[in-house]
């Protein structure tokens, strides 16, 4: 019997890419490939790239070069680029990086096994030719669902699979294979984005907004629960738009309680929310539904009106603060995070001061700050009133220092709070987990003062007794150890 072909998936970028990698893994395993963790143990190393900002693109190129260095020193025979950077640049990336033996776009995902076999056998598969994916679906969201069947949508793999293709857990399993045993997993709610922010190129290579059907999201969540997942995080480019192409812009409000009722799921988290699209009903569901985390990942980006209009966005400091007041009036313990761009073309000192005013009053749990840089193909890249790079760097350092101070202060406000923690690691370094106000990897973590009786995937009620910057230190409450069925509130 011939030795099975082996493949390793190296994933960079956001949680959406992680879901895409697990779909690729499901497709490959179903076609007989053996999945391995280490690229050096694989015949083919598949690098799922990120193409969002310069730093992420550099990380993707570095990962491709690192995998290429394994050739001749390990089992690795081929290195293949997939993901957003491959989709966005295609042939251009292939020409600039001959170390990659293949550059595959989203349209190749359904035939990923054949593509890799061709490359591994020494054949040549033509590199992906980029196209504006915003033009692949009808302009009207209501007309998209039927057309979407003919467009590659990573992470939207079928849920009811033919015999012989579905994983062992049954016909409702998705075309997905978990790549780790973590107790939290992302579930893709939708793909693409209809917003036209002047600094963002994502819609051009991810396409127009298209929702997954609620039944697919539910069945995938049930399958993940069977795999031992305790927390799911709903991801897309814009979760607040979910359902608009299915005829119900309030569909998320009805879906969340159903997801929370799935046996085995202890926490449901929603990411990527647009402030301008927040609805009273959605706030109510996020702050009052048992097992749904009162967590708000709000994409503010700035708070000075002139900068926001130049970004083609809405709102201002006072309206954003009103939104936060509304949220906290319903759930005082709610977690809020956001990202901000400083040094945007035309940003004045007064605009920066307005952003600092917002940050000082917003009491955010986690803050990401980025310095503006041109992104190819975006409207902002054509603006004339660019700031000097040194000034952008100076403002980035200034706001980053403020952000670090403010999130530490916000953590200190949680001293004495009862926080329900999902345990994620238990080792010689200690027992770590996350509370309802903390998303994976981005928002800090909780160090437990005692790990007795705890294991990965357990939920435990704790009392916050200390802080370390954005992180919390908490002690388990007596009698609380175990997978409680109580809500996050």
């Amino acid at each position: 019997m011939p030795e099975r072909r082996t493949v390793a998936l190296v994933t960079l970028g956001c949680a959406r890419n992680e879901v895409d990698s697990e779909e690729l893994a499901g497709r490959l395993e179903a076609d007989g490939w053996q999945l391995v963790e280490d690229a050096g143990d694989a015949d083919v190393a598949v690098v799922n790239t990120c193409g969002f900002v310069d730093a992420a693109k550099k990380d993707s190129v570095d990962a491709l070069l690192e995998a290429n260095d394994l050739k001749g020193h390990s089992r690795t025979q081929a290195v293949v680029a997939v993901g957003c950077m491959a989709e966005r640049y295609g042939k251009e990336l292939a020409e600039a990086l001959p170390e990659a033996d293949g550059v595959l776009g989203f349209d190749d995902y359904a035939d990923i096994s054949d593509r890799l076999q061709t490359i591994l056998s020494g054949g040549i598969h033509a590199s992906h030719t980029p196209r504006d994916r915003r033009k692949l679906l009808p302009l009207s969201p209501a007309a998209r669902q039927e057309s979407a069947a003919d467009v590659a949508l990573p992470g939207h793999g079928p849920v009811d699979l033919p015999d012989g293709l579905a994983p062992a857990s049954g016909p409702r399993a998705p075309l997905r294979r978990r790549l780790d045993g973590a107790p939290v997993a992302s579930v893709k709610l939708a793909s693409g984005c209809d917003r036209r922010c002047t600094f963002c190129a994502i819609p051009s290579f991810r396409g127009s907004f298209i929702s997954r059907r609620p039944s697919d999201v539910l069945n995938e969540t049930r399958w993940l629960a069977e795999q031992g997942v305790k927390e799911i995080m709903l991801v897309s480019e814009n979760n607040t738009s979910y359902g608009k192409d299915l005829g119900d812009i309030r569909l998320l409000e009805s879906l969340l309680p159903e997801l929370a009722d799935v046996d085995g799921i202890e926490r449901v988290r929603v990411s990527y929310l647009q402030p301008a699209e927040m609805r009273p009903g959605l706030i109510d569901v996020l702050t009052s539904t048992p097992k749904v985390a009162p967590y708000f990942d709000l994409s503010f980006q700035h708070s000075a009106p002139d900068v926001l209009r130049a970004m083609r966005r809405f709102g201002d400091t006072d309206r954003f603060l009103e939104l936060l007041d509304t949220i906290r009036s319903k759930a005082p313990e709610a977690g809020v995070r956001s990202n901000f761009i400083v040094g945007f073309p035309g940003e004045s000192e007064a605009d920066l001061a307005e952003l600092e005013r917002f940050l000082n009053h917003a009491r955010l749990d986690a803050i990401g700050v980025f310095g503006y840089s041109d992104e190819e193909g975006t409207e902002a890249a054509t603006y004339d009133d660019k700031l000097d790079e040194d000034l952008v760097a100076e403002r980035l350092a200034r706001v980053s220092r403020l952000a670090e101070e403010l999130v530490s202060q916000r953590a200190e406000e949680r001293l004495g709070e009862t926080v329900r923690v999902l345990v994620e690691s238990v080792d010689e370094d200690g027992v770590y987990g996350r509370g309802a106000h903390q998303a994976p990897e981005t928002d800090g973590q909780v160090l437990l003062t005692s790990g007795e009786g705890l294991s990965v995937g357990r939920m435990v009620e704790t009392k916050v007794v200390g802080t370390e910057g954005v992180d919390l230190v908490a002690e388990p409450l007596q009698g609380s150890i175990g997978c409680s069925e109580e809500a996050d509130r």
Side-chain angles (χ1 to χ4, degrees):
M1 182 175 180
E3 188 176 8
R4 292 178 70 188
R5 302 158 294 178
T6 56
V7 60
L9 285 146
V10 180
T11 306
L12 295 98
C14 65
R16 300 184 294 276
N17 255 16
E18 294 172 5
V19 175
D20 295 349
S21 284
E22 294 197 349
E23 180 186 319
L24 290 174
R27 291 184 182 278
L28 289 166
E29 187 171 66
D31 201 46
W33 290 76
Q34 179 181 348
L35 297 163
V36 297
E37 285 189 31
D38 192 334
D41 296 329
D43 296 316
V44 185
V46 177
V47 180
N48 192 348
T49 61
C50 179
F52 181 40
V53 293
D54 286 344
K57 286 181 276 191
K58 181 182 182 302
D59 288 344
S60 296
V61 170
D62 289 346
L64 288 163
L65 293 174
E66 183 178 340
N68 182 70
D69 288 342
L70 295 170
K71 294 178 185 175
H73 305 286
S74 68
R75 179 167 176 159
T76 308
Q77 301 173 52
V79 177
V80 175
V82 299
C84 291
M85 190 176 181
E87 174 67 33
R88 184 176 181 183
Y89 295 105
K91 290 182 178 179
E92 182 183 343
L93 177 62
E95 292 168 0
L97 198 71
E99 291 86 351
D101 299 287
V103 176
L104 306 181
F106 297 152
D107 292 335
D108 292 304
Y109 282 21
D111 300 307
I112 187 67
S113 179
D114 290 343
R115 300 289 187 265
L116 296 190
Q117 186 58 57
T118 296
I119 293 168
L120 188 59
S121 300
I124 297 175
H125 178 73
S127 296
H128 164 66
T129 299
R131 53 182 174 165
D132 189 339
R133 297 186 73 85
R134 291 171 293 190
K135 300 177 181 179
L136 301 184
L137 292 170
L139 185 63
S140 167
R144 287 181 190 161
Q145 285 289 326
E146 187 173 342
S147 301
D150 301 320
V151 176
L153 297 170
H156 288 232
V159 174
D160 294 315
L161 300 174
D163 290 342
L165 193 61
S169 61
R172 69 165 178 257
L175 187 53
R176 176 173 181 173
R177 198 269 202 186
R178 296 217 68 206
L179 293 174
D180 62 40
V184 59
S186 296
V187 175
K188 190 167 285 191
L189 196 61
S191 289
C193 185
D194 289 340
R195 301 183 72 87
R196 294 295 178 262
C197 301
T198 59
F199 57 84
C200 183
I202 288 177
S204 67
F205 56 86
R206 277 289 184 179
S208 298
F209 186 88
I210 186 80
S211 303
R212 293 183 72 197
R213 294 194 174 276
S215 57
D216 286 350
V217 177
L218 272 167
N219 283 335
E220 185 163 336
T221 299
R222 293 184 182 113
W223 177 79
L224 288 167
E226 290 176 356
Q227 312 304 304
V229 169
K230 299 301 179 185
E231 175 182 326
I232 62 163
M233 184 167 72
L234 301 178
V235 299
S236 76
E237 279 73 21
N238 177 12
N239 282 331
T240 35
S241 282
Y242 179 67
K244 71 176 185 179
D245 52 322
L246 295 171
D248 185 0
I249 191 60
R250 295 177 177 81
L251 194 55
L252 184 56
E253 286 95 305
S254 58
L255 177 60
L256 284 171
E258 293 186 73
L259 293 170
D261 281 344
V262 171
D263 287 344
I265 295 299
E266 292 287 327
R267 181 183 291 156
V268 178
R269 184 183 305 278
V270 184
S271 61
Y272 306 116
L273 300 168
Q274 288 291 339
E277 298 181 31
M278 290 301 295
R279 305 174 291 275
L282 180 56
I283 295 173
D284 286 343
V285 170
L286 287 169
T287 55
S288 65
T289 307
K291 295 189 180 179
V292 173
Y295 175 80
F296 294 81
D297 178 6
L298 295 164
S299 178
F300 289 122
Q301 301 298 345
H302 212 284
S303 73
D306 289 345
V307 175
L308 287 168
R309 302 307 171 267
M311 291 178 169
R312 211 179 296 283
R313 295 179 66 83
F314 306 94
D316 55 44
T317 294
D318 292 334
R319 274 188 275 187
F320 289 163
L321 291 176
E322 288 174 7
L323 172 60
L324 295 177
D325 285 345
T326 298
I327 291 168
R328 288 174 175 137
S329 70
K330 298 174 181 295
E333 77 288 3
V336 186
R337 80 160 334 270
S338 192
N339 293 326
F340 299 89
I341 298 173
V342 298
F344 194 80
E347 180 190 64
S348 67
E349 182 64 33
D351 292 329
L352 190 68
E354 184 68 0
L355 173 58
E356 291 173 324
R357 180 172 82 89
F358 172 70
L359 292 173
N360 276 301
H361 288 86
R363 297 171 55 230
L364 302 179
D365 291 275
I367 301 171
V369 187
F370 302 88
Y372 173 81
S373 62
D374 285 340
E375 276 294 305
E376 300 167 57
T378 63
E379 184 178 342
T382 69
Y383 289 176
D384 295 327
D385 48 354
K386 305 280 178 56
L387 275 61
D388 183 81
E389 288 184 6
D390 289 341
L391 180 58
V392 174
E394 178 187 317
R395 291 184 175 183
L396 173 61
R398 168 178 159 183
V399 177
S400 295
R401 286 193 299 270
L402 175 63
E404 185 175 353
E405 177 184 339
L406 291 174
V407 296
S408 295
Q409 290 176 6
R410 176 65 181 128
E412 290 173 0
E413 290 179 19
R414 293 191 179 275
L415 286 169
E417 279 190 11
T418 298
V419 175
R420 191 166 182 251
V421 174
L422 172 63
V423 177
E424 293 190 315
S425 67
V426 179
D427 53 34
E428 64 274 8
D429 294 326
V431 179
Y432 288 89
R434 290 177 298 103
H437 69 287
Q438 297 167 315
E441 299 182 7
T442 60
D443 299 348
Q445 57 188 352
V446 180
L447 168 64
L448 299 183
T449 59
S450 171
E452 186 177 354
L454 293 177
S455 59
V456 172
R458 305 294 290 272
M459 282 286 192
V460 57
E461 297 289 338
T462 71
K463 180 180 180 180
V464 179
V465 296
T467 65
E468 296 178 359
V470 69
D471 298 328
L472 304 180
V473 179
E475 60 182 19
L477 297 177
Q478 188 173 4
S480 68
I481 293 177
C483 281
S484 167
E485 295 296 324
E486 296 298 317
D488 276 300
R489 280 155 292 283

